[in-house]
Amino acid sequence: MAAPSRPKMKTAFKKSRVVAPLYTGGPVAVTPDGNRLVTCVGEEAILTDVQEGREICRFLGDTESITSMCISPSASHLILFTSALALRIYELPKDTSTSTSRPVQPIRVVSRAHDAPVHVCRTDPTSTYLASGSADGVVKVWDIVRGYVTHVLKGHGGVVSALAFDYPFDPSSVNRERKMRLVTGCVDTKIRIFDLSAAAARSGAAAKPEAVLEGHVSVPRGLDVSRDGKWLVSGGRDSVVLVWDISSKPSESASAKSSKAKGKQKDGAPQLVNTITVLERVEAVGLLRQDDDLVGASSVNTKLHIYTGGEKGVVRVWDARNGSVLYTLGEALDNLTDDQEEQRQIVDALYVPSTSTIISIHADQNILFHSLTTRSLTRQIIGFNDEIVDVALLSPHLIYQTSVSESLADTHVALATNSSLIRVYSSTTLDARLLSGHSEIVLCLDHGAQGRVLASGSKDRAARLWAPVHSSTSPSSLNATQIVPEWGCIAVCEGHAESVGAIALSRTASSDASLDSNLRFMFTGSQDRTIKMWDLSSVPLSCENSQSEPQKCKSLATHKAHEKDINSLDVAPNNRLLVSGSQDKTAKVWEIEYVAYDSGAVRGGIKLLGTCKGHKRGVWTVRFGRAERVLATGSGDKTVKLWNLDDFTCVKTFEGHTNSVLRVDFINAGMQMVSAASDGLVKLWNVRDESCVATMDNHEDKVWALAVTSDEKTIVSGAADSVVTFWEDCTAEQEQEKETKRAELVLREQDFLNYLSLQDYRNAILLALAMDQPGRLYTLFKNLPSSTTTDPSSSSSSPSSPSITGHPAVDEVIRTLGGSDLAKLLRHVKAWNANAKTADVAQRVLHAVVKLRAAEDIARAFGEEDEEGGGSNAVAAVVSGFEEPRSKARETRNQGASALRELIETLVPYTERHLGRMEKLVQESYVVDYLLGEMDDGRFDEDADEEEEGFGMDVDASIGVMA
């Protein structure tokens, strides 16, 4: 029988997906199609593709917080105001298929648009005008494209809190009235209507409102006008919504009467039609389109439906005529504390008519997408996860089948953050759901039954079990990786005296792998230094109803296990061993005793087998090997240790992290390990030689969470910087890329040798520059003089031919060399010139460049190299903003001149040193000549006389001549 093949070692992982902070507070804007969302993260604005969950680009800010933001209805411009009182206008990128790392530059910046912060801004339906309201009670109307102010509206009694354009559009009307009005709301509780088409407003004179509506007793937070310009709806923090008829036109007789009536309601002025008591502070209100398919609504053409959002955290749809609630979007949770209620309230709501969707923005940085047609939550985006402390991979759709399928495995990720809510994300999109049940921060997570059950431990001293709600919809008709199912709590384990900081489920279900099989047991470790074993034999693997009451689990055994807090637990793959890691610097291995009787009774317990001692700091993580009887532990002493389970001795120690090791796991049949530490790094280790083969760096804080998919192709890491990174195995791709590069390099080297043999110096030099091999290039220039003298057959290479480098063809190559190639050659010359052994070749090539090329060509060559390489020139372009062609060319020349100056400053000192050395050699050569001349007076002259004796020369004559 052939031995099983050893698994191939993994050597590289690439960053395939990142779940980063998306929204940390502030304004939110959405494109009219509802596919792109602009949110604020700190002082930056980010454009995100909602469907794919991908960041498209970022907009360059001014390092100040964003106070107001909106997108034009044509989806062409993004307008935002910052706390620096600046107005910044950007063009939205049209190509959103790819992401870009370069920030989008503003097309227009008004450094001081207002004298006070702007808290609200709106664009008109034609995407021509922008209205902005500031805290000093001034409203300005801007031309978006041209960037100038068209109207200045004063007279407000404080901060402008709401704006709405009224530009009636009646498709049945033949003669369309070209009248635009602006409705404003202020903290003085008054609503003002300004006619922007009036002559006084256009002339620049102080514009007065054509109507002032009084009805609110608190600040109005939302305004909206119907498309036909007939209805105005306003909602405020006085818990009421007012419906106004603003289409009334005064008659001539009524106009004369109204001019005499002071303090009374003028005829033809906007009329208050209805007052709706909402019984919550309203933060957002709007009118729904009549062509929306609203469930529960009548088909009468005169229907008037509105939506409201406020402190209760739900969106309610109303019939504005009779003041009744048609339905509610979202769930109103009861028994909430004041802080929880404040976090769940809605701070804004956006209506997207094209998709019949209402987007609600909540104070806890969550963004919810509600469908008006299905009256359900279609998508939830979590803006900020805070500190991520644990992660678990889930396979909720495996409930529909008995065998594990790769397509349905590890499709979701559960996150425990600095919150009582558990986040469940889709592995491919930003869609997420929140699991509420714990009353304190969740500290640990684990999965069981192949990812169909989730276990969580919290500071509320309880552990909970979660399962997906059983649905009649099979994942065969859905994209299982994108749909986040609803989860419900199926069991609660209570009994610890302190917070539960470690949890571990049994690794395999019972012998029957059907859907009706039950879990076996679960272990929890607490700060009370005890380990509890829980009976889960009666807990199902699915939840029938999310509102059903969870079961109360029974504790089978309780053991005081350690002298300090228990940080980690793990159950062996065969369910026979348990390991616990503690702050007392030890890891203990326990034998699990679990017996299930036919009568249904269950008996369980644990027995200590051995203690692993050797760490100098507390043990943060423990993990059993999946294929061998080994144990891995990670500690605060910055090491990972591997232990033998037979005698509990340390067999290997892995050193490389610069801070506490927080998580560790085995991959590749136990031949490799993955570790995460407080230094923000994830490391991949080879167990056999104790070496680190790869380091993954994408975090800026402690990496508390680590998980590996069942196929071991993806590693998920989560850190305290609120970033979750998906690392994908790219070993095969990297090896293929290396093999391709090696084959290409071999072909290029052969081509180089062929060019040399054919004396095709142009292609040889260009190829050496392209391969970035200065050694071959140096050899080529060095051999030029010798090849010229030894090959007299060619007329072009004869010694009599004038040449600077040693060959006229090479001179011609340098004379016509391209800009970037010339810059590369000069950089190689700079390196050669720094060494006395290679300086002669450097000086010869430098002499040729100086003689054959103008200084402008050399400076331009460095500028072109910076452009092609995307180096400092590209960075300077990002910082400097938009550049016209002339300024861009000038910038290129400046960059080239600075690079040339740097080259000269490097070449001159070494050249002067070489010149000094040559001068010293020349001086020393005179000494040699002198010594040889003096030596001629001795023995060498006598030999010469003997040889010249036959020619009649005597010694005295020669001496006389020398004298």
Side-chain angles (χ1 to χ4, degrees), residues 585-600:
K585 309 176 188 178
T586 64
K588 294 185 178 182
V589 181
W590 312 78
E591 181 183 1
I592 300 175
E593 298 177 355
Y594 179 82
V595 180
Y597 298 100
D598 295 337
S599 60

Side-chain angles (χ1 to χ4, degrees), residues 945 948 952-963:
D945 291 340
E948 295 176 358
M953 298 179 63
D954 58 359
V955 177
D956 294 335
S958 61
I959 294 175
V961 172
M962 292 180 64

Side-chain angles (χ1 to χ4, degrees), residues 594-878:
Y594 179 82
V595 180
Y597 298 100
D598 295 337
S599 60
V602 176
R603 179 176 60 85
I606 56 176
K607 182 176 66 175
L608 181 63
L609 294 180
T611 302
C612 301
K613 298 180 180 180
H615 282 294
K616 299 178 181 178
R617 295 288 187 272
V619 178
W620 282 107
T621 178
V622 291
R623 182 69 65 178
F624 280 111
R626 301 183 183 181
E628 300 179 358
R629 286 180 54 83
V630 293
L631 170 68
T633 59
S635 168
D637 59 8
K638 312 174 189 177
T639 64
V640 177
K641 288 183 179 293
L642 202 65
W643 307 83
N644 187 351
L645 292 180
D646 294 330
D647 53 5
F648 308 105
T649 58
C650 178
V651 293
K652 291 181 183 293
T653 300
F654 302 83
E655 297 180 350
H657 284 289
T658 59
N659 214 325
S660 303
V661 179
L662 303 176
R663 290 291 184 271
V664 67
D665 204 348
F666 285 93
I667 62 172
N668 213 2
M671 298 176 61
Q672 292 181 294
M673 285 193 310
V674 183
S675 62
S678 296
D679 55 11
L681 301 177
V682 179
K683 288 183 176 290
L684 177 65
W685 308 84
N686 281 348
V687 174
R688 183 177 298 275
D689 54 7
E690 304 178 25
S691 62
C692 177
V693 295
T695 300
M696 292 157 268
D697 184 8
N698 191 49
H699 298 285
E700 298 177 355
D701 210 335
K702 301 176 181 179
V703 184
W704 285 105
L706 186 71
V708 181
T709 57
S710 56
D711 58 4
E712 297 184 351
K713 293 181 179 179
T714 303
I715 299 173
V716 183
S717 61
D721 57 1
S722 185
V723 173
V724 179
T725 307
F726 291 76
W727 306 95
E728 184 179 347
D729 181 18
C730 61
T731 303
E733 298 177 12
Q734 194 176 72
E735 291 180 354
Q736 180 66 29
E737 185 179 355
K738 287 182 179 179
E739 181 63 24
T740 303
K741 287 184 177 180
R742 190 192 65 81
E744 184 180 353
L745 182 60
V746 170
L747 293 177
R748 285 190 171 190
E749 290 178 349
Q750 185 61 46
D751 291 340
F752 179 80
L753 296 176
N754 294 338
Y755 290 144
L756 283 183
S757 63
L758 297 174
Q759 292 191 357
D760 188 355
Y761 292 113
R762 171 175 293 278
N763 288 327
I765 292 174
L766 293 177
L767 187 57
L769 291 172
M771 291 190 298
D772 195 18
Q773 292 187 349
R776 292 186 178 274
L777 200 60
Y778 170 78
T779 305
L780 186 151
F781 286 117
K782 181 180 179 181
N783 295 333
L784 280 179
S786 60
S787 64
T788 302
T789 57
T790 57
D791 188 14
S793 61
S794 176
S795 60
S796 61
S797 60
S798 62
S800 60
S801 301
S803 175
I804 301 175
T805 60
H807 201 290
V810 178
D811 293 353
E812 184 63 25
V813 172
I814 294 178
R815 182 183 292 109
T816 59
L817 202 60
S820 60
D821 292 331
L822 179 60
K824 291 179 182 178
L825 177 61
L826 287 174
R827 295 188 189 281
H828 294 325
V829 168
K830 181 177 69 172
W832 297 337
N833 194 51
N835 192 340
K837 296 181 180 179
T838 58
D840 56 341
V841 175
Q843 290 296 320
R844 181 153 32 96
V845 177
L846 181 61
H847 182 210
V849 173
V850 173
K851 286 289 186 181
L852 300 175
R853 302 299 290 263
E856 292 79 5
D857 294 343
I858 301 175
R860 193 182 304 112
F862 281 99
E864 293 177 3
E865 186 193 34
D866 287 339
E867 280 187 345
E868 293 180 4
S872 59
N873 191 29
V875 176
V878 172

